[in-house]
């Protein structure tokens, strides 16, 4: 089982594996945390499942967050 939790919005997602190729996804709260995470998981798979040490995070003064692979000027994704 994998769980995602966002205490400030009281949002949560739980992924329970039922069989080898079957799982159950449960959501609660105003944010769908799985839907927010899924694009990054797909992008990671597209890029050959790089190790987490190859990723970085930039946080700007205005509070925006950008996840990047290898270097900030290369492949990047804005975070919610």
């Amino acid at each position: 089982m994998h769980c995602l939790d966002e205490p400030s919005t009281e949002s949560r997602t739980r992924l329970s594996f039922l069989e080898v190729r079957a799982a159950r996804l449960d959501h609660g709260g105003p944010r769908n945390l799985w839907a927010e995470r899924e694009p990054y998981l797909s992008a990671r798979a597209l890029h050959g499942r790089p190790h987490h040490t190859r990723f970085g995070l930039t946080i700007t003064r205005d509070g925006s967050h950008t996840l990047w692979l290898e270097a900030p000027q290369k492949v990047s994704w804005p975070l919610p």
Side-chain angles (χ1 to χ4, degrees):
M1 177 180 349
H2 295 280
C3 298
L4 300 172
D5 185 41
E6 170 43 50
S8 67
T9 62
E10 297 183 2
S11 298
R12 62 201 166 283
T13 296
R14 181 177 62 196
L15 178 65
S16 304
F17 295 98
L18 306 173
E19 298 174 16
V20 174
R21 293 187 179 261
R24 177 180 171 163
L25 195 57
D26 297 304
H27 304 285
R31 290 174 59 190
N32 182 336
L33 301 176
W34 184 259
E36 291 177 14
R37 184 175 181 180
E38 194 282 326
Y40 308 108
L41 295 174
S42 295
R44 182 175 176 259
L46 180 68
H47 291 283
R49 298 177 50 104
H51 193 266
H52 68 86
T53 57
R54 294 175 55 196
F55 288 90
L57 179 67
T58 299
I59 303 171
T60 63
R61 289 180 191 243
D62 69 359
S64 65
H65 295 67
T66 303
L67 177 68
W68 44 265
L69 177 61
E70 302 294 342
Q73 64 274 20
K74 291 191 176 184
V75 179
S76 63
W77 305 269
L79 299 177

